[in-house]
Amino acid sequence: MRHLIDPLDFTRQETDRLLELAENIIQSPGAYAHRCAGKILGALFFEPSTRTRLSFESAMLRLGGQVLGFSDAGSSSASKGESVADTIRMVSAYADIAAMRHFKEGAPFVASRYAKIPVINAGDGGHQHPTQTLTDMFAIRRRRGKVDGMTIGLCGDLKFGRTVHSLIKSLVRYENVRFIFISPEELRVPGYIVKEVVEPSGHRWEEARAMEEVMPELDILYMTRVQRERFFNEEDYVRLKDSYVLTPEKLRAAKPDLSIMHPLPRVNEIAPEVDNDSRAVYFEQAKGGVYVRMALILTLLGLEKGILDGEEA
Amino acid sequence: MLNIDSIENGIVIDHITAGRSMRVYDLLELDKLDTCVAIIKNAKSEKFGKKDIIKIEGATDIDLDVLGFIDDRATVCIIRDGKLVEKKRPTLPQKLVNIVSCKNPRCITSVEKVDQVFYLCDEKAHRYRCRYCEQEYKK
């Protein structure tokens, strides 16, 4: 049984095929409207989420399936002390596929070991967020047409930002990518990501403290939010939260075809005036997340077969 | 010069890095044995200057993975009828199960009763990473 726990659980070829399926769903949504009829998605959200939870629910409903679940740990049996292993054993009897978000890192991996149904990691603490990565890759594919040869600036909280770690792991599988890590000293990208992921792959990387320094070189600027929930110390959060704010002034030096991405939600890191800039991709990026999750659900349930080969859905 | 009797049947863990014998003793759970166990600290070593040695009477096997993790320089000598019959060198294990614990408070292993699993991520630097949260193990 396949699960999606780590962004690298799918090969580059499998990822490309899944994104191709997502594109196909956008082109012919009617062909997929009943593909998951009779199937149930268990949406197990132990941590609050708006975008990811709603996009999973929307994805399953658009495929003709149904959804059950909870949206915070307080309304689940976890509040009574039930283990992740027992929760997923129970959900395996109630649903056909599960999407799990958990505040503890590695919880979806534990779930996958006890589950009788496919498990999707919908974000685990500051660790991984593979469906956001697929969504990001889909946005790059749609906007840029390719990943090879891109100079990608990752800006903000590169230490706790799980979307950043997952995205880097996926991007290194392409050719000649150049990474520029833009962060304050305290929120630098973890050393192991550089030493074990970026450097062995042979891609170029550098660090910057100011986004203005590197703006003219970027093809893609991936902004992130400094997340209050990842800090043990409120003072550190307050000090670092507005480290980087993207404004129209800072964008003057950028390339005309720059793609500005953000996993959302944003707080202050992108000024609202940037929303009308044609280079802003983030809302389009979020919309793509529904189609990517539809493609993922179909793939993990084994219902994608034949679709891309021209067989009628 | 301190004299410790030779063992007739058992295991001698030799060439332990000086100072690490108690950690080897603890992680191999030698306290649970009811046979004779001798720990020799800071013995003279031609090769390393100083070394620790552990002699375990009656033992026939030890977990080489655990030993490799603590000290891959050590040698394991199997003694039968007072003679050395086999010499083994531990290697750095690819995986550690329930040998060390993850110290990341955000890791699921801090609340869920599951095996503590670490995998070798950098052989040269002897670095291990938690299978669940990928936090590096720091000794």
Side-chain angles (χ1 to χ4, degrees):
Chain A
M1 187 189 306
R2 293 293 299 269
H3 305 280
L4 179 65
I5 304 301
D6 185 286
L8 301 190
D9 285 348
F10 285 175
T11 63
R12 179 181 155 178
Q13 288 69 30
E14 286 172 326
T15 303
D16 287 344
R17 190 172 165 83
L18 189 139
L19 300 183
E20 196 183 327
L21 176 57
E23 186 62 47
N24 208 274
I25 295 170
I26 290 178
Q27 301 308 325
S28 326
Y32 300 90
H34 305 289
R35 268 267 160 175
C36 283
K39 301 288 183 189
I40 297 173
L41 168 77
L44 317 177
F45 281 72
F46 292 86
E47 191 179 57
S49 158
T50 306
R51 209 164 327 276
T52 307
R53 183 170 63 82
L54 293 182
S55 66
F56 264 112
E57 292 185 7
S58 172
M60 194 53 165
L61 296 173
R62 284 174 189 270
L63 289 167
Q66 291 174 297
V67 182
L68 53 78
F70 49 85
S71 56
D72 69 84
S75 58
S76 78
S77 53
S79 62
K80 298 174 189 167
E82 186 176 58
S83 66
V84 168
D86 283 1
T87 302
I88 198 69
R89 282 185 180 115
M90 178 199 73
V91 172
S92 293
Y94 302 160
D96 301 285
I97 186 167
M100 176 183 281
R101 167 165 291 191
H102 205 289
F103 45 89
K104 288 290 182 184
E105 298 170 5
F109 172 64
V110 170
S112 72
R113 298 179 70 185
Y114 294 92
K116 301 272 186 258
I117 56 175
V119 175
I120 301 167
N121 180 359
D124 58 336
H127 184 215
Q128 300 281 5
H129 195 352
T131 61
Q132 181 64 49
T133 304
L134 291 173
T135 301
D136 296 342
M137 298 301 292
F138 190 53
I140 294 172
R141 177 193 160 111
R142 296 204 93 207
R143 185 57 82 107
R144 311 298 308 213
K146 62 170 187 171
V147 179
D148 297 342
M150 293 278 128
T151 294
I152 302 174
L154 297 139
C155 180
D157 176 5
L158 308 187
K159 182 180 181 183
F160 297 116
R162 58 189 167 198
T163 58
V164 169
H165 304 166
S166 295
L167 182 59
I168 294 169
K169 284 185 170 184
S170 276
L171 288 171
V172 297
R173 300 196 288 187
Y174 292 82
E175 305 299 322
N176 197 26
V177 176
R178 179 181 167 214
F179 294 95
I180 303 183
F181 301 123
I182 311 157
S183 72
E185 181 69 29
E186 294 90 335
L187 298 175
R188 288 172 66 194
V189 70
Y192 84 89
I193 293 281
V194 172
K195 286 200 184 82
E196 294 168 28
V197 180
V198 180
E199 287 183 344
S201 64
H203 294 291
R204 287 175 297 158
W205 70 276
E206 60 198 84
E207 286 190 296
R209 293 284 166 265
M211 66 165 85
E212 295 89 328
E213 283 172 23
V214 294
M215 191 65 86
E217 300 170 48
L218 303 178
D219 297 308
I220 295 168
L221 173 59
Y222 192 94
M223 297 293 295
T224 62
R225 173 174 63 101
V226 176
Q227 302 170 88
R228 180 192 292 262
E229 61 270 30
R230 304 286 167 235
F231 286 83
F232 287 124
N233 182 340
E234 179 74 9
E235 272 175 37
D236 286 345
Y237 167 70
V238 171
R239 186 166 50 83
L240 295 168
K241 71 183 174 68
D242 292 326
S243 297
Y244 299 102
V245 180
L246 184 64
T247 59
E249 292 70 40
K250 287 179 187 164
L251 279 170
R252 277 191 202 126
K255 288 182 181 174
D257 62 347
L258 171 74
S259 300
I260 306 163
M261 299 176 65
H262 193 301
L264 303 179
R266 71 163 152 190
V267 184
N268 295 323
E269 59 278 7
I270 300 179
E273 299 79 43
V274 176
D275 297 354
N276 297 325
D277 193 306
S278 61
R279 294 171 287 189
V281 180
Y282 32 94
F283 292 120
E284 181 184 314
Q285 185 184 347
K287 188 178 173 191
V290 175
Y291 301 103
V292 164
R293 289 178 176 103
M294 287 171 80
L296 177 62
I297 291 168
L298 287 172
T299 302
L300 291 178
L301 287 175
L303 298 173
E304 89 292 7
K305 291 181 182 69
I307 294 177
L308 291 180
D309 307 324
E311 186 187 293
E312 202 170 303
Chain B
M1 180 73 179
L2 184 69
N3 281 320
I4 306 282
D5 285 347
S6 300
I7 56 175
E8 272 300 298
N9 289 291
I11 288 175
V12 176
I13 308 173
D14 200 358
H15 302 110
I16 300 170
T17 301
R20 287 197 192 161
S21 53
M22 285 313 292
R23 188 159 159 76
V24 173
Y25 181 88
D26 288 338
L27 283 176
L28 288 177
E29 298 181 325
L30 299 182
D31 56 319
K32 290 182 180 163
L33 296 177
D34 58 0
T35 56
C36 180
V37 178
I39 301 168
I40 305 160
K41 293 187 71 176
N42 300 321
K44 200 180 279 180
S45 163
E46 281 182 20
K47 207 170 172 184
F48 304 112
K50 283 196 292 187
K51 63 178 181 180
D52 288 1
I53 305 166
I54 297 178
K55 296 185 175 187
I56 315 158
E57 184 71 53
T60 54
D61 198 17
I62 60 157
D63 190 333
L64 283 174
D65 279 356
V66 175
L67 189 59
F69 169 65
I70 312 165
D71 196 351
D72 63 344
R73 204 183 81 175
T75 50
V76 176
C77 306
I78 314 289
I79 313 290
R80 269 186 222 131
D81 300 323
K83 288 179 185 162
L84 173 67
V85 294
E86 195 181 355
K87 212 170 192 177
K88 296 178 188 173
R89 282 292 300 272
T91 53
L92 213 55
Q94 291 297 314
K95 193 164 99 169
L96 302 173
V97 180
N98 295 329
I99 294 172
V100 290
S101 300
C102 185
K103 291 170 183 159
N104 175 10
R106 297 183 186 88
C107 181
I108 185 66
T109 58
S110 65
V111 291
E112 186 99 357
K113 285 177 188 161
V114 287
D115 284 339
Q116 292 276 350
V117 183
F118 283 75
Y119 62 90
L120 184 63
C121 61
D122 185 340
E123 199 160 348
K124 276 185 191 161
H126 292 201
R127 291 195 302 156
Y128 284 84
R129 201 167 283 295
C130 173
R131 175 64 186 87
Y132 301 89
C133 70
E134 296 186 79
Q135 177 100 345
E136 188 182 330
Y137 173 73
K138 289 194 173 71
K139 286 180 185 172

